[in-house]
Amino acid sequence: MNTEKKWALLASPTDEAQAAADALRSQRDWVELDDAELVIALGGDGFMLQVQHAMLEDARIVPVFGMNLGTVGFLMNEWRTDGLDERIARAKRFSVSPLRMEAETIEGQRIKLPAINEVSLLRETRQTAKLEVSLNDRVVMAELVCDGVLVSTPAGSTAYNLSAQGPILPLGSGLLALTPISPFRPRRWRGAILPETASVSIRVLDAVKRPVSAVADQREVRDVRKIDVAIDRAAALTFMFDPEHALDDRITMEQFVV
C-alpha cells in the first residue's frame, strides 16, 4: 500500500526556480494541485502570494511550505534538496486570515479581492488624494490629505506597511495597522492600530478630479470611489516554516533591524 503523502510542486518561471524544481521531481511522485494535501512552492515572496491567492480563488486551501529562490524570501524557507520529509514533519504551521476588500469604482462597478499582506489606496495623478476614513461605520477622520493609505495584516506589517513607517504587528496579535502614505494633512498623524474585528471604510473625496486606485496585494482596481476592508475569517491560509526560521520570530526580530 502506498502511504506517500500527496504533495504538489509549484515553481516560479525563473530559470533558478525551474532548475530547483527539476532537482526535486526525481525525489518522489508529485500530484496536481487539485489532489494535493500540501504544496511545495519554489520562488520568492511574490510567488508565494500568487500560490496562496490561487488557492483562495479555487476555494481549496492546503498548507504551503515555500523555499526561497527569489530576492527577499521573508515568507519562504531556505532552499535545499536534502531532508525535505523531515523538514515538513518538523515544520511549524501558522494560520493567516486574509483581508477582504470590496471596492466600488466611479462607474459603480463592485469588485471583491482578498489581500494577505495589505490593501492600499494610492493617488493616480500628481495631485494628492483626499480621503474620508470610517471605522465600524463611524467617521473617524473627515479628511486625510495624502499620497495614500493602507490596511495591513500582521503577516504583511513588515512589507509595504513598514516602508511607510507603519508598526510591526506580532503574528497572532489580533491587530491590524492603518497607515498613511506621505500624509500632508493632518501632517503629524502616523496611523492607528486596530483590533482585527474592525471594519475599515475609506471614501475618496472628489474621486473624479483626484483619482485613486486600490491595490489588494498585487491586484489593482483603478478609479475607486470607496473601499470596505475587513478580515475574512472563513479563508484562513496555512504557512509552514522550519522551526529555526519561523514566521513569528522573523516578524519579532524585524523590530531590531537598524
Side-chain angles (χ1 to χ4, degrees):
M1 180 178 178
N2 184 8
T3 60
E4 190 174 75
K5 294 182 179 179
K6 296 179 179 179
W7 294 359
L9 179 63
L10 301 177
S12 77
T14 66
D15 292 341
E16 188 177 8
Q18 290 297 314
D22 290 340
L24 287 179
R25 285 194 180 98
S26 62
Q27 292 190 5
R28 62 184 301 121
D29 292 327
W30 301 90
V31 302
E32 297 297 323
L33 181 58
D34 290 344
D35 298 321
E37 302 169 338
L38 181 145
V39 171
I40 304 297
L42 307 178
D45 289 337
F47 184 69
M48 170 63 85
L49 292 178
Q50 289 178 31
V51 170
Q52 298 283 9
H53 275 280
M55 290 195 296
L56 287 171
E57 290 178 2
D58 293 341
R60 187 177 185 279
I61 299 171
V62 297
V64 181
F65 184 89
M67 287 193 279
N68 186 31
L69 289 149
T71 305
V72 178
F74 191 83
L75 298 174
M76 314 299 277
N77 298 281
E78 179 187 358
W79 156 248
R80 60 178 190 269
T81 58
D82 60 297
L84 188 54
D85 286 87
E86 291 76 14
R87 292 174 73 185
I88 296 299
R90 295 176 58 244
K92 292 182 67 175
R93 299 188 177 209
F94 295 90
S95 180
V96 174
S97 293
L99 297 166
R100 175 68 62 175
M101 176 190 78
E102 182 172 350
E104 179 184 347
T105 69
I106 293 172
E107 296 179 349
Q109 185 181 12
R110 291 183 177 272
I111 301 169
K112 295 182 180 181
L113 293 173
I116 299 163
N117 276 352
E118 77 279 318
V119 169
S120 55
L121 282 181
L122 304 165
R123 64 185 176 102
E124 294 180 9
T125 69
R126 69 183 187 281
Q127 292 184 300
T128 56
K130 290 187 176 182
L131 310 173
E132 178 194 81
V133 181
S134 297
L135 181 63
N136 299 326
D137 297 321
R138 188 178 86 182
V139 176
V140 293
M141 188 166 291
E143 185 179 81
L144 171 62
V145 183
C146 56
D147 280 355
V149 67
L150 62 85
V151 181
S152 171
T153 66
S157 66
T158 59
Y160 191 8
N161 173 71
L162 183 58
S163 297
Q165 308 301 312
I168 294 175
L169 304 177
L171 204 64
S173 62
L175 299 172
L176 299 174
L178 177 64
T179 302
I181 302 168
S182 300
F184 177 72
R185 189 185 306 122
R187 194 182 298 273
R188 293 177 180 165
W189 187 63
R190 292 294 177 261
I193 297 175
L194 309 174
E196 66 176 10
T197 55
S199 176
V200 180
S201 298
I202 304 173
R203 185 168 67 91
V204 181
L205 306 176
D206 203 354
V208 175
K209 181 181 177 181
R210 298 172 181 266
V212 170
S213 65
V215 183
D217 284 345
Q218 302 158 329
R219 300 175 65 180
E220 181 183 32
V221 180
R222 303 282 290 183
D223 301 332
V224 299
R225 184 184 300 278
K226 180 185 177 184
I227 66 166
D228 297 307
V229 182
I231 285 284
D232 186 355
R233 300 183 183 282
L237 302 164
T238 301
F239 293 76
M240 301 178 67
F241 291 89
D242 293 317
E244 62 272 20
H245 296 292
L247 183 59
D248 56 348
D249 185 56
R250 292 187 187 189
I251 291 174
T252 298
M253 294 310 295
E254 281 291 312
Q255 297 177 88
F256 301 96
V257 175
V258 294

